[in-house]
Amino acid sequence: MQSWKINIFLKGLVFPLPVKKLSKMTLSLKQMNDGDYIDEKRTEFESSILNRKIVSIKNIDKNNIKFIIEKCKQNNFDYIVSQIDTNQPELISAMIDNGFRIYGGNVVLKNKLKGEYKINIKVREYEKKDLKQIKQMTRGAFPKVHWYNNKYLNKDKIDEMYVKWVENSCNGRADIVFVYEENDKVLGYLTCYKRLELLVVSSEARRKGVGSALVRTGLDYYKNKNFKEVSLKVEMLNIPVLNLHLKCGSELHSVVLNINKWLK
């Protein structure tokens, strides 16, 4: 397969990303069952918190967009969400032509875990006494996430969704949660579930090495678990966190756009 490069411009940064042509093999409309293009389970959590019937779609191409939209309407969904790789410009254009909008995007990175990670003694595993501080820190911590770019969604509900997410992580959903503590105060945390997930640093502690200390601890954790590689996603315009991960040895893998559509 041929490959070429595209440049993604993020506030003055240019990332050359390898892009490969996609295979032309797609499911015909007659072959498609609901499970082939609808993944309601993937968005159950978001639906329950945001009080909207949200569905994630997959296997979409420019020939079945109208079919998928109609099927989602028939299933009484309120909101369609999708993540489309930027190496599919024709599909992205076709989706926009059919009423989808770009609400955000993620840079996908991978880390080969080849480094030696110096662990900061101020980073430790989460304890129950940390939960109150962690929940307080989480509200408003993800303003660049695509949910916040949607005027039809309640911002307080979105905050509630992330608070519940981190609470579930602390209560056993995550593989592990790390906190950075100084003088009995939690200054940051990192949740890990098969990858590096939520990273939050308090406003007073930013640019002081808290985030990098947490990330290095997370990488070291998975290296000691004999993982060969871990992945992570960073909001496209979250430049400080993106640079943090690059400095910790992660490499650019791809860029995906959050392309969504309201049905009601």
Side-chain angles (χ1 to χ4, degrees):
M1 293 197 300
Q2 294 180 345
S3 65
W4 64 95
K5 291 184 177 181
I6 60 174
N7 288 329
I8 303 299
F9 294 87
L10 303 180
K11 289 187 177 179
L13 297 181
V14 182
F15 303 125
L17 299 177
V19 179
K20 294 183 178 180
K21 288 185 177 180
L22 298 178
S23 168
K24 294 183 179 180
M25 294 179 61
T26 57
L27 292 170
S28 71
L29 299 185
K30 292 182 179 180
Q31 292 175 310
M32 294 182 77
N33 298 311
D34 281 7
D36 291 324
Y37 55 87
I38 289 177
D39 190 355
E40 186 177 4
K41 187 173 182 180
R42 184 175 180 179
T43 48
E44 279 180 342
F45 174 72
E46 290 86 348
S47 294
S48 66
I49 302 293
L50 299 176
N51 296 322
R52 300 282 190 170
K53 194 174 181 184
I54 302 170
V55 63
S56 176
I57 57 173
K58 56 187 179 180
N59 291 326
I60 188 169
D61 62 53
K62 62 182 181 180
N63 298 313
N64 65 23
I65 294 174
K66 295 183 185 297
F67 172 81
I68 290 177
I69 291 173
E70 187 57 36
K71 284 295 183 179
C72 288
K73 288 180 178 178
Q74 292 174 11
N75 282 280
N76 294 314
F77 290 113
D78 299 316
Y79 191 42
I80 301 173
V81 298
S82 69
Q83 289 195 328
I84 307 298
D85 199 297
T86 53
N87 66 3
Q88 302 181 71
E90 291 184 4
L91 172 58
I92 292 170
S93 295
M95 293 177 73
I96 299 300
D97 290 342
N98 281 275
F100 284 80
R101 288 185 59 194
I102 297 173
Y103 285 92
N106 292 289
V107 179
V108 181
L109 303 104
K110 293 185 181 292
N111 194 298
K112 300 293 186 181
L113 302 177
K114 294 180 179 179
E116 295 296 328
Y117 305 107
K118 183 179 179 181
I119 304 305
N120 191 308
I121 60 172
K122 295 180 180 179
V123 178
R124 59 169 174 78
E125 191 172 344
Y126 160 82
E127 298 174 2
K128 287 185 178 180
K129 65 182 178 68
D130 304 321
L131 185 57
K132 183 178 180 180
Q133 291 186 71
I134 285 176
K135 290 169 69 172
Q136 290 174 341
M137 195 184 307
T138 300
R139 290 191 177 276
F142 303 100
K144 301 183 187 301
V145 173
H146 70 97
W147 300 108
Y148 287 97
N149 293 330
N150 195 313
K151 65 181 181 180
Y152 299 109
L153 295 176
N154 183 287
K155 302 299 187 291
D156 290 335
K157 286 287 186 181
I158 301 171
D159 280 346
E160 180 184 334
M161 180 174 73
Y162 279 97
V163 169
K164 187 63 178 176
W165 183 348
V166 74
E167 184 176 8
N168 290 344
S169 296
C170 291
N171 289 333
R173 174 192 170 275
D175 298 327
I176 195 167
V177 178
F178 293 108
V179 301
Y180 187 109
E181 183 185 49
E182 187 173 270
N183 298 324
D184 297 321
K185 186 172 184 179
V186 174
L187 298 180
Y189 70 82
L190 172 69
T191 69
C192 303
Y193 179 62
K194 298 181 181 179
R195 61 184 178 91
L196 306 190
E197 273 194 326
L198 301 182
L199 173 66
V200 174
V201 176
S202 67
S203 57
E204 65 193 80
R206 289 171 189 165
R207 301 187 184 277
K208 295 182 179 179
V210 174
S212 58
L214 287 163
V215 168
R216 286 195 298 268
T217 303
L219 296 173
D220 186 68
Y221 169 81
Y222 281 115
K223 183 175 182 178
N224 289 331
K225 291 288 184 181
N226 295 318
F227 277 58
K228 302 299 183 185
E229 177 182 87
V230 293
S231 64
L232 55 134
K233 292 181 180 180
V234 178
E235 290 299 316
M236 188 181 288
L237 295 180
N238 198 341
I239 304 303
V241 173
L242 181 56
N243 280 324
L244 185 158
H245 285 295
L246 292 172
K247 288 178 181 177
C248 289
S250 294
E251 297 178 346
L252 295 166
H253 179 262
S254 59
V255 174
V256 295
L257 299 178
N258 301 110
I259 305 183
N260 309 333
K261 178 179 174 65
W262 280 102
L263 298 176
K264 297 181 181 180

